[in-house]
Amino acid sequence: MWNEKQMLNYLYENLKENKIKHSLSVSETAVALAERYGANIDKARISGLIHDCAKGMKDEELIKAAIDYGIQLDEVYINNPSILHGLVASIIAKDVMGIEDEDMLMAIRYHTTGRKDMSVLEKVIYIADYIEPLRAFDGVEELRSLSNIELDLAVVKSLENAIKYVISQNGLLHTDTIIARNYLLSKNSRWEYEKW
Ligand SMILES: [Fe+2]
Ligand SMILES: [Fe+2]
C-alpha cells in the first residue's frame, strides 16, 4: 500500500488546489469524528484524504473507468457522470494505491450517494465530506452540531439536504441515497428525528 506522502503527491498531480484543501480538511474532520464514534482513526484519515482522488477526471474518463471495471451504468450515472467519482476513487485506491481494506474502499466508493446499512467509517467519511470547515451552506452549523451528538441523524439530515438539492436542480436521484435515508430513518425513533 502507498504511504500517505505518495497519496498526497497523487492529489497534487491530479486535483486543483481547492480540492486538495478540501481533501485535507475532510481527512482532519474524519479523524475527529472517528475518535468520537469509535471508528479506526488511520482508516478515517486515509479514506478522507483520498475520497475525491478521481474528482479531477472528465466525465468520459469516469464513464470509461466504470465500464472497464464492469459497472452497469444506469440512467442516473449517464445523466450525471460526476457521481461516479466515488466509485472510480475506490478503484484507484485499490488498483493504484494498493488499499485492500474493504471498509475503506466502501467509505470512498459511497461517499457521494451513501448506501443502505453504512458502517461507522462510511458514515464518518460521508459526514466529514459534508461538514468539513471549508463547507459553507445554509444549515451547515446545525449539521456540525448534530454530527457531534448523533451520527445517524446527522447522516439522515445530510442525505435529505442532498436529495433536496438534487431535486432543486431538476437532477436524477440515485436510489442508493433514498435507500440509505429510509434505512437509517426506520432504525431511529420518530421522537429523536423530530427533535431536530
Ligand atoms: Fe466527492
Ligand atoms: Fe469531497
Side-chain angles (χ1 to χ4, degrees), residues 22 26 51-52 111 129 135:
H22 164 70
V26 171
H51 78 287
D52 270 343
H111 82 262
D129 187 31
R135 292 275 198 206

Side-chain angles (χ1 to χ4, degrees), residues 47-103:
S47 306
L49 183 66
I50 60 172
H51 78 287
D52 270 343
C53 69
K55 193 82 179 177
M57 290 169 72
K58 297 191 179 77
D59 285 354
E60 313 85 78
E61 295 172 320
L62 291 171
I63 288 172
K64 184 176 182 313
I67 290 172
D68 287 351
Y69 202 70
I71 300 292
Q72 194 104 39
L73 293 180
D74 60 18
E75 69 278 8
V76 185
Y77 288 132
I78 289 164
N79 269 275
N80 183 17
S82 74
I83 65 164
L84 284 165
H85 78 266
L87 166 74
V88 176
S90 74
I91 298 170
I92 295 168
K94 188 175 183 184
D95 292 354
V96 180
M97 300 179 181
I99 291 175
E100 283 169 9
D101 185 273
E102 206 51 37
D103 200 14

Side-chain angles (χ1 to χ4, degrees), residues 32-46:
L33 288 168
E35 281 168 351
R36 180 159 209 97
Y37 292 108
N40 182 293
I41 292 179
D42 294 328
K43 291 183 188 184
R45 188 181 62 251
I46 296 170

